Amino acid sequence: MTSTRPAEVPAFPTDRPDSCPFDPDEVYTRLRADEPVTAVRCPAGVDAWLVSRYADIRAVLTDPRLSSRAASSMHMLPIADLSRDPSPGAIIQADGEEHARLRRLLIGEFTVRRMEALRPYIQKITDEHIDAMLQGPGADLVQDFALPIPSLVICEMLGVPYDDRVQFQHDSEVLIGFEADEAARRAAGDRLWGYLGELIGQRLAEPRDDLLSRLIARANETDRPLTPQELATLGVTLLVAGHETTANMIALSTLVLLENSEQLAVLQAAPENAGPAVEELLRYLSVIQFGLFRYATQDVEVGGTQVRAGEWLVAAISSGNRDENVYPDPDTVDLGRQARTHLAFGFGAHQCIGQQLARIEMQVALTTLLRRIPGLRLAMPLPQSEFKRNDLVYGVRSLPVTW
Ligand code: HEM
């Protein structure tokens, strides 16, 4: 068992190769083989153990001794204060019983049955957006399709007015990007929390048939009702997580398909196989590109390395999803692959609560797009600058298409 840190710790994050914008850094292939748990220096100013093998990542994400107290992204923020306690209601950062309490309140809203009931609505808005795109000779697939669909769905679920989307989409993007300065991030956060706080005030006074109102009612039946601050944090989490991730997956998946005509033909010929196809795209793309951050509350061994209490770890899910011991020929996108065991939604207690919704949105969006616009193609080669290499969620800023 080793625990020695090298004197010179390499910097994290690594970078994507120019040769393929869908691949993570080639260094992961070497790390998985030779140094599966290795020390890196994160932008937040701490050193962490980078865990790159699939099996070790699953072990990290299920170990109760490894805390989520610094949200999944905080290792990437140069200004992050890692000593701060998580805000009340921050489910992604909560541990143990506090996490279980928040998760119990939400889980009933995201059952497979409830999500399947949304399928006709998702199909309807998908068709409406394609109708609108077909009015012109081309479109920006991000603004005209990939972003509106999950945004509309999460607004409908939460009871957030879709007319307010310009502001909340902008503020979400600032929060999950790492380019804005501290003042801009704080302003975006204040606006989002203020906005949800106001909506929650309205629901407390006058409940409706929406997720926020049901959440309030459900928590009131327990011995610890949610405070307005907890409610606002849960609302912001769902609003941001509910549209950014899926929007990036829809746009990026479309680009992968347009650049892999054989795979595109596979899905076009058999849209009933959209389920496994979406799992493979989730594996291949791993849009939570900088991995998941954890904190050791006790000494723990990970992949033969001794991690001490007080040390940090990064579970590199984009590497685990390319682990050749689990997925043969991992750098090839193969829609026929059985990839449902992927780590794109995380693993363990914090595994994505919205995964079933995201799956349905991606399945409907991609199959409908390919069926209704069979001649879909890129309007121009996409410049490197359009790829979100520095954002917590990988994606493209725009995707000009024509048909
Ligand atoms: C393709 C789309 C999505 C991806 C790739 C994704 C990815 C993830 C990942 C990796 C985690 C685990 C974080 C951790 O362990 O630290 C997570 C958690 C979470 N996701 Fe998603 N997500 C997606 C869509 C959604 C949607 C649509 C919603 C809500 C409507 C959502 C809500 C959440 C919430 C609330 C958590 C925290 C769960 C917990 O801490 O118990 N996500 N997601």
Side-chain angles (χ1 to χ4, degrees), residues 267 270-279 281 359 362-364 366-367:
L267 187 53
E272 67 279 10
N273 293 338
V278 159
E279 300 308 318
L281 289 161
R359 288 187 166 107
M362 284 183 274
Q363 291 165 11
V364 171
L366 294 173
T367 53

Side-chain angles (χ1 to χ4, degrees), residues 72 91-92 99 103 110 154 241 245 249 294 344-346 350 352 354:
S72 313
I91 180 168
I92 299 188
H99 173 252
R103 187 135 177 145
F110 290 92
I154 196 67
T245 42
M249 266 306 297
R294 295 294 188 264
F345 290 123
H350 288 270
C352 181

Side-chain angles (χ1 to χ4, degrees), residues 71-134:
S72 313
S73 58
M74 278 167 78
H75 54 312
M76 295 306 300
L77 268 181
I79 51 168
D81 177 359
L82 299 178
S83 64
R84 251 181 58 185
D85 283 336
S87 320
I91 180 168
I92 299 188
Q93 289 176 261
D95 292 321
E97 183 41 43
E98 186 53 25
H99 173 252
R101 166 189 171 240
L102 297 169
R103 187 135 177 145
R104 266 195 308 273
L105 289 171
L106 277 183
I107 204 84
E109 293 292 330
F110 290 92
T111 59
V112 173
R113 201 156 61 98
R114 233 183 224 279
M115 296 303 98
E116 281 299 335
L118 284 172
R119 200 181 273 270
Y121 171 71
I122 296 170
Q123 185 65 60
K124 175 174 159 288
I125 58 174
T126 301
D127 277 317
E128 285 168 1
H129 281 78
I130 294 178
D131 290 343
M133 287 201 301
L134 287 172

Side-chain angles (χ1 to χ4, degrees), residues 60-387:
V60 163
L61 297 179
T62 44
D63 193 325
R65 295 168 297 178
L66 300 177
S67 162
S68 284
R69 54 168 291 115
S72 313
S73 58
M74 278 167 78
H75 54 312
M76 295 306 300
L77 268 181
I79 51 168
D81 177 359
L82 299 178
S83 64
R84 251 181 58 185
D85 283 336
S87 320
I91 180 168
I92 299 188
Q93 289 176 261
D95 292 321
E97 183 41 43
E98 186 53 25
H99 173 252
R101 166 189 171 240
L102 297 169
R103 187 135 177 145
R104 266 195 308 273
L105 289 171
L106 277 183
I107 204 84
E109 293 292 330
F110 290 92
T111 59
V112 173
R113 201 156 61 98
R114 233 183 224 279
M115 296 303 98
E116 281 299 335
L118 284 172
R119 200 181 273 270
Y121 171 71
I122 296 170
Q123 185 65 60
K124 175 174 159 288
I125 58 174
T126 301
D127 277 317
E128 285 168 1
H129 281 78
I130 294 178
D131 290 343
M133 287 201 301
L134 287 172
Q135 299 301 308
D140 170 9
L141 202 92
V142 173
Q143 288 303 325
D144 299 329
F145 188 71
L147 189 54
I149 292 169
S151 299
L152 266 162
V153 175
I154 196 67
C155 282
E156 173 76 14
M157 280 181 79
L158 289 177
V160 167
Y162 185 62
D163 284 350
D164 296 339
R165 65 186 175 280
V166 173
Q167 192 64 58
F168 76 67
Q169 283 172 351
H170 168 268
D171 292 336
S172 307
E173 219 178 311
V174 170
L175 282 185
I176 67 158
F178 296 115
E179 275 157 7
D181 61 26
E182 191 179 352
R185 289 179 61 83
R186 187 159 300 158
D190 286 350
R191 267 192 307 270
L192 265 177
W193 263 262
Y195 177 62
L196 260 299
E198 230 173 82
L199 282 180
I200 278 152
Q202 290 166 15
R203 296 301 181 276
L204 283 166
E206 224 176 290
R208 293 192 194 169
D209 183 18
D210 58 32
L211 191 157
L212 290 178
S213 306
R214 283 192 297 276
L215 195 57
I216 295 168
R218 199 171 298 128
N220 282 342
E221 287 164 12
T222 70
D223 52 9
R224 242 185 94 197
L226 290 165
T227 63
Q229 192 194 359
E230 287 176 320
L231 280 162
T233 299
L234 279 171
V236 170
T237 306
L238 291 172
L239 185 59
V240 175
H243 79 274
E244 270 292 345
T245 42
T246 317
N248 282 302
M249 266 306 297
I250 293 173
L252 217 46
S253 299
T254 307
L255 181 59
V256 170
L257 294 172
L258 292 179
E259 298 205 337
N260 290 272
S261 51
E262 272 173 34
Q263 297 299 313
L264 185 142
V266 165
L267 187 53
Q268 234 158 4
E272 67 279 10
N273 293 338
V278 159
E279 300 308 318
E280 170 65 351
L281 289 161
L282 284 158
R283 178 197 74 84
Y284 182 67
L285 290 166
S286 303
V287 290
I288 307 294
Q289 60 175 335
F290 302 124
L292 305 174
F293 199 40
R294 295 294 188 264
Y295 175 77
T297 60
Q298 298 174 32
D299 289 357
V300 34
E301 190 202 321
V302 177
T305 293
Q306 182 68 55
V307 175
R308 303 271 174 220
E311 292 184 334
W312 298 91
L313 300 100
V314 179
I317 54 179
S318 61
S319 171
N321 278 340
R322 300 290 184 105
D323 190 329
E324 37 293 279
N325 287 320
V326 183
Y327 305 107
D329 197 7
D331 297 333
T332 299
V333 61
D334 170 5
L335 300 191
R337 195 196 290 270
Q338 295 302 317
R340 209 182 151 95
T341 52
H342 64 74
L343 303 167
F345 290 123
F347 193 66
H350 288 270
Q351 197 180 41
C352 181
I353 222 169
Q355 57 184 284
Q356 204 48 36
L357 173 60
R359 288 187 166 107
I360 297 172
E361 290 175 343
M362 284 183 274
Q363 291 165 11
V364 171
L366 294 173
T367 53
T368 311
L369 191 66
L370 299 186
R371 174 172 53 79
R372 293 203 47 201
I373 318 186
L376 189 74
R377 59 188 162 83
L378 285 185
M380 59 170 94
L382 202 62
Q384 284 289 337
S385 55
E386 288 305 283
F387 289 91

